[in-house]
Amino acid sequence: MNIENLNEAMKLFIGDEENREYLKQAFKQGDSQYATDATALIKIPLSVIDLQLQEQDKPNCINIIPNDEIHNEIIVSNILYDVKVEMVDEQIEKRQKCIDCNGGGEVKYEYSASRETFYLEAECPICEGDGESIQWVDSGKLIPDQNQKIKLGKTTFTRFQLERLIKTCELLECEKIIQTVQNKKGANKFILGEVTVIIMPVNLAD
């Protein structure tokens, strides 16, 4: 397999949550390599290729992957075939001077004790000392809704999850994949050649 494509596939699954540092990089665990954002996971065995990743014991990916239950062949080009694209307004980041600290990054606190008034300057809790606040506004452009709910077999996923699965297949040059676990409420397992992908579904009623 192409090592560059395998690395790119791993990057698709890396998380970006600030309070979960252990999800921000791909890692080695046991006899395989993993990347996960807690909603999906990719596994590449060391026997396929060694990407020279650091060992990591959290999260415990070995216990996450379910045993095979079924054998459903899926043609990758059919995953989103004939699915109507739902469009939404694109949101872009707009930075402006923080109105709470007037752009200075600090605010003054006033408190009274023992009949005296005290003043304390501290970092603005709104902009965290940056002096600017962020607003998300419509760009005026319509884009595909990444949260659109789409059924694959009996299970519902977001467009984002399915597009990521398709992109992974393209990187690995897989035209057909095998779904070996189908679960409406838990982990769904897909086999892409020698690579395994786990995806959590969404509730259609949400």
Side-chain angles (χ1 to χ4, degrees):
M1 288 188 181
N2 185 307
I3 190 169
E4 291 183 5
N5 285 4
L6 285 169
N7 275 314
E8 287 302 312
M10 294 289 264
K11 289 177 183 178
L12 294 175
F13 293 82
I14 290 175
D16 60 1
E17 293 185 39
E18 291 185 6
N19 60 341
R20 304 176 84 175
E21 292 292 330
Y22 54 88
L23 299 182
K24 291 186 176 181
Q25 62 279 321
F27 53 90
K28 181 167 61 176
Q29 195 172 98
D31 61 0
S32 295
Q33 300 146 114
Y34 300 88
T36 178
D37 62 1
T39 67
L41 172 151
I42 186 170
K43 170 189 172 184
I44 300 175
L46 285 166
S47 59
V48 174
I49 194 167
D50 189 347
L51 298 175
Q52 302 297 314
L53 302 175
Q54 293 295 315
E55 189 83 29
Q56 186 172 302
D57 60 7
K58 185 179 181 181
N60 189 340
C61 294
I62 296 173
N63 291 339
I64 292 174
I65 298 178
N67 295 324
D68 295 346
E69 299 174 353
I70 58 175
H71 187 94
N72 289 344
E73 185 176 272
I74 299 172
I75 298 174
V76 176
S77 60
N78 287 346
I79 293 177
L80 290 178
Y81 180 78
D82 211 26
V83 175
K84 183 179 180 180
V85 180
E86 296 179 3
M87 307 296 285
V88 293
D89 290 315
E90 179 186 44
Q91 296 286 299
I92 58 172
E93 184 181 288
K94 181 181 179 181
R95 301 183 70 88
Q96 61 183 23
K97 184 168 71 173
C98 178
I99 61 174
D100 291 274
C101 65
N102 198 32
E106 294 185 342
V107 292
K108 184 178 289 186
Y109 293 93
E110 177 183 314
Y111 67 97
S112 299
S114 302
R115 298 183 180 180
E116 291 188 64
T117 301
F118 301 88
Y119 298 94
L120 174 68
E121 289 189 352
E123 181 182 275
C124 175
I126 304 301
C127 68
E128 299 180 338
D130 186 52
E132 293 183 325
S133 60
I134 298 174
Q135 287 186 328
W136 290 93
V137 298
D138 292 346
S139 69
K141 177 182 176 182
L142 291 176
I143 59 173
D145 182 4
Q146 293 299 297
N147 293 316
Q148 178 184 354
K149 296 175 181 178
I150 300 170
K151 295 200 73 173
L152 180 63
K154 298 178 181 179
T155 312
T156 304
F157 303 96
T158 62
R159 173 174 287 277
F160 170 77
Q161 295 282 32
L162 294 181
E163 287 185 349
R164 175 164 59 180
L165 177 62
I166 292 170
K167 178 63 176 177
T168 305
C169 291
E170 291 173 349
L171 287 168
L172 303 180
E173 299 180 352
C174 290
E175 296 182 357
K176 295 179 181 179
I177 60 177
I178 306 297
Q179 184 174 12
T180 60
V181 177
Q182 187 174 78
N183 193 330
K184 293 181 180 180
K185 296 183 179 180
N188 288 257
K189 184 177 178 181
F190 300 88
I191 306 300
L192 290 60
E194 295 177 280
V195 174
T196 299
V197 170
I198 303 295
I199 307 178
M200 296 301 293
V202 294
N203 190 336
L204 193 58
D206 288 346

